[in-house]
DNA sequence: ATATGTGCAAACTCTTTGCATGGAG
DNA sequence: CTCCATGCAAAGAGTTTGCACATAT
């Protein structure tokens, strides 16, 4: 990361101020509050860059698309509320990779997506 | 499903002859062997239709995109081999949905994706 | 005979890239 | 002062849609 421009700083701040998976369009909207001239190509270039540098993780959600969140929050999974459309981080992991593989297969990583109704929507 | 055209029949046959998740481009190539004039728009329209009718399931794979497979093969998960790029169905499921939800959340569905190296690639 | 289905091409969405300008170091 | 980064606009990839023609029923 050679130069810290105001655009790059604004994009990074969006991720620290919003600790959940964000879409590129959300990042653009939130960062434009700080740097109004910001263009979407710059957002794409910077999130890619942050991912390459290990500062952001990609969250590729079936049906929803690619989102990004800070990489330093540890292994966890995601829950998508079908009623309100919000995406939640669920801490922890119910899986042991050793138990998942048929003989001969080596599991190196996994992703688990949960769908349902969140606590807030169930109460409403 | 009002009419059984030769295109629709060819597309369906591709799924019965290839019982694994298929990309739209694969479906097109395989079905064109049966119906050379087949266009890609027809494939898109038909897989959508089959999904709506419950005959195909969508398999939305992070990083890979949307694939389709017969809906009658039951609950299972998918394994992506990082070495050869093949996608495998893994029978069964290591999860109990009841155990996954923090208090107040209702889990209605889940998807699990596994990444690693398949048995064939490990032997090679 | 009639309306659904097809094929083509244009439109659309999401993402990437080329290039001239701007600004961090 | 240099070179990396930005903004714009154009280019790509993947998917959807409008329309006239073809065809299953």
């Amino acid at each position: 990361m050679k130069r810290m421009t105001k655009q790059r700083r604004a994009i990074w701040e969006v991720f620290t101020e919003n600790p959940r998976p964000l879409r590129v369009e959300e990042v653009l909207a939130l960062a434009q509050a700080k740097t109004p001239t910001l263009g979407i190509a710059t957002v794409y270039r910077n999130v890619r860059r942050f991912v390459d540098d290990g500062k952001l993780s990609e969250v590729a959600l079936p049906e929803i698309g690619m989102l990004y969140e800070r990489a330093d929050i540890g292994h966890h999974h995601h829950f998508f509320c079908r009623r309100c459309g919000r995406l939640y981080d669920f801490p922890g992991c119910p899986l042991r990779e050793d138990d998942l593989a048929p003989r001969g297969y080596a599991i190196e990583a996994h992703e688990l997506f949960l769908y349902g109704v969140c606590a807030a929507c169930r109460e409403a």
Side-chain angles (χ1 to χ4, degrees), chain A:
Chain A
M1 195 92 7
K2 304 249 175 173
R3 297 181 186 181
M4 184 50 60
T5 62
K6 63 181 189 301
Q7 292 90 339
R8 184 166 291 163
R9 188 188 333 276
I11 291 166
W12 182 248
E13 283 174 5
V14 165
F15 284 101
T16 61
E17 292 164 6
N18 300 272
R20 59 192 172 87
L22 300 172
R23 307 165 153 284
V24 167
E25 287 292 345
E26 286 183 274
V27 176
L28 176 66
L30 292 164
Q32 278 180 336
K34 304 164 186 287
T35 310
T37 64
L38 180 64
I40 191 143
T42 297
V43 179
Y44 275 107
R45 280 188 281 233
N46 276 284
V47 297
R48 165 81 63 94
R49 189 74 171 277
F50 287 134
V51 169
D52 291 345
D53 292 352
K55 294 190 170 62
L56 288 182
S57 306
E58 294 185 313
V59 181
L61 277 178
E63 327 259 339
I64 298 166
M66 189 69 80
L67 298 89
Y68 301 86
E69 67 183 342
R70 285 181 57 171
D72 56 8
I73 59 177
H75 184 69
H76 63 286
H77 295 298
H78 297 100
F79 174 92
F80 178 72
C81 178
R82 287 172 164 167
R83 203 166 299 174
C84 66
R86 267 191 292 254
L87 191 64
Y88 295 83
D89 284 344
F90 270 20
C93 178
L95 295 169
R96 293 210 319 276
E97 286 188 353
D98 297 345
D99 297 348
L100 304 176
R103 193 180 328 285
Y105 287 74
I107 308 282
E108 296 176 345
H110 68 268
E111 297 229 45
L112 174 62
F113 301 103
L114 305 170
Y115 302 88
V117 183
C118 72
C121 284
R122 291 184 79 200
E123 285 167 12

